[in-house]
Amino acid sequence: MGLSNEKLHAGLDALAEIEPRIAYALEVAGYPETRRRDKGYATLLRTIVGQQVSVHAAASVWRKLEATLGEGCAPASLLAAEEDALRGCGLSRQKQSYARSLAELVESGALDFAALPSDDEEAITMLTRVKGIGRWSAEIYLLFAEGRADIWPAGDLAVQEAVKRIMGLSTRPSEKETRAIGENWRPHRGAAAIFAWHSYNIDALG
């Protein structure tokens, strides 16, 4: 589950060796704590549940779903549930479509979380077969649930803004520009992303 603090710190130390601006930012902001999520279906389902709602609201919906479907909201249970029952838990029609897409892929064996491709791009492609799961959600899953060390969510606005501040840029880089900047940080871009979120609100880096 996720990058260990040891691997995260080692990755940031390696980045500091090759990028002086990261070394300075690390001195100012200090090391972040890693974040971890469980591997598998339930974590991605919770990602769907949490889309565009507050953390509190998402937790409430999840509790109701588990009360209705059982712990972990097993794919078969979700697929067997009536639309009204899921709506009563707080799951909109659109999110029901996304949740059923995930459950169908898992139940059919088309998506096996225990056998995702080792190649990150191939794994992202497989995860984004689920309706409602875009590249960012797939990257977050691979970084925090699987602990893949070179995931670089360059489309994340907070990552872009942090890269701007860390690198002393005049404007926030685009996703394409952020991805290009990160090329020099392989194979530790996951650590760079976690550090970017950590340092985002630190005024001294502005």
Side-chain angles (χ1 to χ4, degrees), residues 8 19 26 34 42 51 53 55 77 79 87-88 93 103 107 109-110 126 129 142 149-150 153 161 168 183 185 190 201:
L8 174 59
E19 178 49 70
L26 193 56
T34 194
Q51 288 174 345
V53 298
V55 172
S77 298
L79 292 171
R87 187 183 298 114
R93 179 172 295 179
E107 190 72 359
M126 181 166 284
R129 291 174 62 191
L142 293 172
D150 201 36
E161 183 63 26
E183 283 299 309
W185 300 343
N201 288 318

Side-chain angles (χ1 to χ4, degrees), residues 47-162:
T47 297
I48 290 170
V49 168
Q51 288 174 345
Q52 299 180 324
V53 298
S54 70
V55 172
H56 177 76
S60 175
V61 172
W62 184 256
R63 284 195 299 270
K64 292 174 183 177
L65 284 171
E66 285 200 308
T68 300
L69 304 176
E71 185 177 357
C73 304
S77 298
L78 193 150
L79 292 171
E82 296 290 337
E83 181 178 331
D84 286 346
L86 296 177
R87 187 183 298 114
C89 295
L91 212 58
S92 68
R93 179 172 295 179
Q94 184 179 54
K95 286 188 179 180
Q96 288 187 43
S97 172
Y98 297 165
R100 290 187 190 278
S101 170
L102 170 61
E104 286 168 356
L105 287 168
V106 171
E107 190 72 359
S108 69
L111 176 56
D112 182 354
F113 285 96
L116 288 176
S118 58
D119 179 85
D120 292 337
E121 287 300 322
E122 290 180 12
I124 289 168
T125 297
M126 181 166 284
L127 290 171
T128 54
R129 291 174 62 191
V130 179
K131 290 180 183 178
I133 296 296
R135 182 181 181 92
W136 181 86
S137 295
E139 288 171 333
I140 295 303
Y141 175 84
L142 293 172
L143 179 57
F144 293 121
E146 295 222 335
R148 299 202 182 195
D150 201 36
I151 295 295
W152 182 230
D156 187 283
L157 294 181
V159 168
Q160 293 171 7
E161 183 63 26

